[in-house]
Amino acid sequence: MEVDTVLVVDFGAQYAQLIARRVRECHVYSEIVPSTMPVEEMLARKPKTIILSGGPSSVYAPGAPPAPAGLFETGVPVLGICYGFQLMVAALGGTVEKTGIAEYGATDFAAGGEAGRVGGEAGRLLAGTPPRQQVWMSHGDTATSAPPGFTVTGSTPATPVAAMEEPSRRWYGVQFHPEVMHTTHGQPILRNFLDLAGCRPSWTTQNIVDDQVAAIRAQIGDNGRAICGLSGGVDSAVAAALVQRAIGDRLTCVFVDHGLLRKGEAEQVEKDFVAATGVQLHVVDAAATFLAALDEVSDPETKRKIIGREFIRAFERAARDIRASDECSFLVQGTLYPDVVESGGGTGTANIKSHHNVGGLPDDLRFQLVEPLRSLFKDEVRQVGASLGLPAAIVARQPFPGPGLAVRIVGSVTASRLRILREADFIVRSELTAAGLDEEIWQCPVVLLADIRSVGVQGDGRTYGHPIVLRPVTSEDAMTADWSRLPYDVLARISTRITNEVHEVNRVVLDVTSKPPGTIEWE
């Protein structure tokens, strides 16, 4: 079944990714596109509607990104959010001013009527939501008058035009952010807009599986063979299960033990995945090769590229071992949509960091890539995995970066440092499991600050040891995250055990940074 598409135009803020995710929660497919994309290219994707996202600019500032030229002549329904809302106001004849009063964070919003008077027409976009509700604001400029033909459908004490609509043209706009959880009725508002735009809720797990299986068969063909780089994480496991569904025993999974996994993970990968799928698994012990290649390398981007290169070389060697290399020309990877977005892949967004599956591949790659999860967010991947019959031990596994512990060591990677981090990480995971917290946190990276030492006292003597950083986070899709408020007694046990049992560590610290501004991994 052909699905409807929503394009989310990115104006340079983190909100575009969250908007796209919320749209998919309404079972409508969404894609992020840069604000510089010509309208003709947008229309070539046959969008059912277009959403203009928030952004950091002022609409009247020199160099501020404009609304895509010709957008409002296309007849496509449009929703403007925050900066996108102000672009609509300014482009269509309304007024945006710097009033000297900004709104940031939770704000009381009055739906219906003008200038905060409840009781007027709340409009179609806000239908079914309360006359007064909490919304999340983040703006310094203010819409003071709506364009001709628009009805003002909501306001705040500081913003006379906080929501507006022109239903005959299916143009809608809100100053607040309906996509964030702090807007109490944001999801119903987005769902209203999608209904008004005529979007069908057909983006379902079964639809995803059927579409991807068909696409994989078309790409690989009737006789093609593929190998999949199995990492032990949910992404590569689900990607492999999808490809197996498409081509059967013409897929061989290759597990490269690069020596950068956590304690006990290599054995767990072999046991869990083979038991769940029956796929032939070819194990490559490449720990010494990876460690030699990473010798004295401390730059995180260089680490990622080296690891990506060595993965591919290991796959090529494995392909030759399994069968003639010209018979195995496809490489399956578990690349996700957040990986693509953060790497600047095709969206016009900033390159935050290279992801192993996106930015770490060598230029002379001898395989054609098969990336069945490239358009999916993490929770969608888990849903697909469950529908394919993968067990919870795989589907619910906490995310773990492809480059493994190498990017959780701030500094160069050595066998000794890997041992220290493995032991500390194992203690953290054991204590979180014992406390029943595995389902409450999304993941807990444990970071070794290898090039930093601090003075301590252990056994009545002076020590000069390494700090360990705990990074427990909650998230839905890796685009945004908040630090997990772990119980103090759990933190105390973790700290005591690490400093008692891992002799090279004399200090344990807690990272309490959200994303943004900090990424989930330190490197």
Side-chain angles (χ1 to χ4, degrees), residues 32-118:
I32 300 167
V33 297
S35 62
T36 53
M37 177 179 284
V39 165
E40 293 75 18
E41 289 187 33
M42 295 184 188
L43 295 180
R45 302 189 181 203
K46 299 180 180 179
K48 198 75 173 181
T49 184
I50 293 174
I51 298 177
L52 305 179
S53 79
S57 302
S58 294
V59 294
Y60 47 75
L71 172 64
F72 298 110
E73 286 77 55
T74 62
V76 175
V78 178
L79 171 64
I81 294 175
C82 194
Y83 179 75
F85 164 75
Q86 294 180 1
L87 281 179
M88 290 183 70
V89 172
L92 296 171
T95 305
V96 177
E97 302 178 80
K98 184 173 287 297
T99 64
I101 302 177
E103 289 178 311
Y104 297 101
T107 304
D108 291 328
F109 171 84
E114 305 260 353
R117 294 196 309 271
V118 179

Side-chain angles (χ1 to χ4, degrees), residues 63-328:
L71 172 64
F72 298 110
E73 286 77 55
T74 62
V76 175
V78 178
L79 171 64
I81 294 175
C82 194
Y83 179 75
F85 164 75
Q86 294 180 1
L87 281 179
M88 290 183 70
V89 172
L92 296 171
T95 305
V96 177
E97 302 178 80
K98 184 173 287 297
T99 64
I101 302 177
E103 289 178 311
Y104 297 101
T107 304
D108 291 328
F109 171 84
E114 305 260 353
R117 294 196 309 271
V118 179
E121 174 57 51
R124 301 181 183 184
L125 185 65
L126 304 174
T129 65
R132 289 195 180 275
Q133 54 190 285
Q134 176 184 287
V135 300
W136 189 262
M137 290 285 198
S138 181
H139 68 102
D141 301 329
T142 300
T144 53
S145 65
F150 278 79
T151 299
V152 177
T153 58
S155 59
T156 71
T159 304
V161 184
M164 66 180 190
E165 60 185 55
E166 213 287 42
S168 67
R169 299 190 180 188
R170 294 189 291 181
W171 290 341
Y172 302 86
V174 291
Q175 178 62 72
F176 56 87
H177 290 275
E179 72 276 13
V180 305
M181 61 181 294
H182 305 289
T183 296
T184 51
H185 298 277
Q187 197 65 0
I189 291 171
L190 284 175
R191 191 174 293 112
N192 282 348
F193 172 70
L194 297 172
D195 289 343
L196 293 165
C199 296
R200 299 166 296 173
S202 56
W203 177 248
T204 64
T205 300
Q206 189 57 51
N207 180 280
I208 294 169
V209 170
D210 292 343
D211 288 350
Q212 288 304 318
V213 166
I216 293 164
R217 287 172 177 162
Q219 180 181 2
I220 297 179
D222 294 334
N223 300 309
R225 293 183 175 274
I227 61 173
C228 176
L230 199 65
S231 69
V234 62
D235 305 334
S236 61
V238 174
L242 270 172
V243 175
Q244 184 192 33
R245 174 73 61 91
I247 67 171
D249 61 6
R250 289 184 285 131
L251 169 70
T252 300
C253 287
V254 177
F255 172 51
V256 176
D257 185 357
H258 52 23
L260 306 173
L261 294 174
R262 294 177 291 191
K263 188 173 181 177
E265 278 196 324
E267 297 79 8
Q268 188 179 36
V269 167
E270 294 186 53
K271 176 174 66 71
D272 288 349
F273 188 72
V274 173
T277 63
V279 166
Q280 267 197 331
L281 184 63
H282 186 82
V283 179
V284 178
D285 183 357
T289 301
F290 276 78
L291 198 58
L294 290 167
D295 185 40
E296 297 187 359
V297 175
S298 59
D299 178 71
E301 284 292 283
T302 304
K303 285 183 190 176
R304 289 175 179 272
K305 292 184 182 298
I306 288 172
I307 293 167
R309 181 195 71 206
E310 293 302 322
F311 259 118
I312 296 304
R313 298 303 175 237
F315 293 148
E316 290 173 343
R317 289 191 294 270
R320 288 194 294 270
D321 291 342
I322 295 165
R323 57 178 65 86
S325 59
D326 60 348
E327 293 180 10
C328 189

